[in-house]
Amino acid sequence: MLKQGSALDRYFMITERGSNLSREIRGGFATFFAMSYIVVLNPLILSGPDSSGTTLGFPAVAAVTAFVAGILTILMGAWAKHPFALATGLGVNAFVAVTVATNPGLTWPDVMGLVVISGVTMLILVLTGFRTAVFKAVPDGLKTAIVVGIGLFIALIGLVNAGFVRRIPDVAGTTVPVGLGFEGKLLGWPTAVFVFGLILTIALVVRKVKGAILIGIISSTLIAVIVEMTLHIGPSVQPGKPFNPQGWSLVAPTFSEWAAPDLSLIGKANPFGAFEHLGFVAATLLAFVILLSIFFDAMGTMVGLANEAGTVDEHGNIPDVDRVLQVDALGAIAGGGASVSSNQIYVEAGAGIGEGARTGIASIVTGLLFLVAMFFTPLINLVPFEAVAPALVVVGFMMVSQVGKIDWQDWGIAIPAFLTFTLMPFTYSIANGLGAGFIAYVLIRTVQGRVKDIHPLMWAVAGAFLLFFAIGPIEAAVGM
């Protein structure tokens, strides 16, 4: 039992933030379960060969993904004292694998070297105060829109991960991008597990049961294990086999054997290789795109999670925000240096916050679980997406409920806010939603004749996002 007023209590501000040790531990477990899938998914995304035909190797990427996530998340908890967890960022890793690594002449060390450069640049921006200044320059209405957008985004992630919502294949000849289940129907036991978990979690949250989200995850996992052991459903996608719409989304709940972690990828990045093979302009352009993505994704996620945790003060500031941003910048450097792509704050940390986590102790618990997962991974392979997805949907609701704080009578805020929180889920990118909202804010305030209301840094950020959205024509112009 933690003693109120003890050194640990004072350092992490546990009592001050209205939390306790049991909540923090439960929150740490909930966050780990919600984001542990990255240890399996990241090796799949980074599985392709580079220009020389070399691959990173599934076991090595999985082990290092868990290791880097564990170290950075513990650092976030111990240094920044927030319940934020870090791991390889989805979106950035796909861009690195599909767009960057396919450039002729580039090897994986060259590719990850660009991520390191982006991280070093971002750390400089943090240490000089620029990144913090950008955060403070964002109007309150847009900060609220970021929270709402992340809520919608995290709910969509949950629905998609559970197979409740799926992409309609292009061959269908329809303009509708997604639909209910498979061909408009809900199929399979995995979907039933998700529905059970969602109903249970909602009921527990409404009844204000302590540990509601974690109970929902554990209960759904137990049902999933029983179903898989009895019916042997297997994952929906397996090498050499046709797609199984009634299978588990990615991880079929199974127990894994012990395996020694392969950390050989650490330190393999080559920061200067891309410049040697592509030239200064092309390499700089790629590094710039990576920088913009990790710069604004993390800022948006941080704002959303801090608001949900209630750790934002009356002036809209986040305590120790500089430390949060420093750890996030180190995440890009460490992730690139370890060849698992940039690490960043995860929206799935909202699952732990929804469980009651308010301090860095939850992050330390999550980080320790990631380190354990390096050696012994039954917790990762045991919990399917369908068991975690209900928590993400419920947390998404909690975050979207703040939409009423937006001033809908002021179109200079309302329209940018609308673009921000709709484009985040629609484009599956926090950065895209931020960019559209920031550009619209500067444009509409200018049209309204209220240029004085625009912070100078908002002009710079809007300009940077214009370059971000114009990257296709720019790449074509430089011959990439």
Side-chain angles (χ1 to χ4, degrees), residues 166-179 182-184:
R166 304 193 193 205
R167 185 178 72 86
I168 295 176
D170 297 335
V171 293
T174 177
T175 57
V176 181
V178 294
F182 184 74
E183 297 181 345

Side-chain angles (χ1 to χ4, degrees), residues 204-270:
L204 294 173
V205 168
V206 169
R207 296 292 299 177
K208 297 182 179 180
V209 175
K210 291 183 178 180
I213 290 177
L214 190 57
I215 292 172
I217 294 173
I218 294 174
S219 300
S220 299
T221 299
L222 290 174
I223 298 295
V225 171
I226 294 172
V227 168
E228 180 61 23
M229 291 178 65
T230 305
L231 303 177
H232 307 291
I233 298 169
S236 57
V237 178
Q238 298 184 65
K241 294 185 179 181
F243 174 73
N244 175 18
Q246 299 191 46
W248 303 98
S249 290
L250 177 64
V251 178
T254 55
F255 289 94
S256 298
E257 297 180 358
W258 178 88
D262 178 1
L263 303 179
S264 60
L265 291 175
I266 296 176
K268 297 292 186 181
N270 179 9

Side-chain angles (χ1 to χ4, degrees), residues 426-444:
F426 288 168
T427 65
Y428 235 67
S429 168
I430 294 172
N432 288 344
L434 289 174
F438 289 0
I439 293 172
Y441 173 76
V442 171
L443 175 63
I444 295 174

Side-chain angles (χ1 to χ4, degrees), residues 322-345:
D322 289 338
R323 294 188 178 189
V324 174
L325 295 175
Q326 287 166 14
V327 177
D328 183 70
L330 290 174
I333 299 172
S339 297
V340 292
S341 187
S342 173
N343 276 235
Q344 59 193 54
I345 301 171

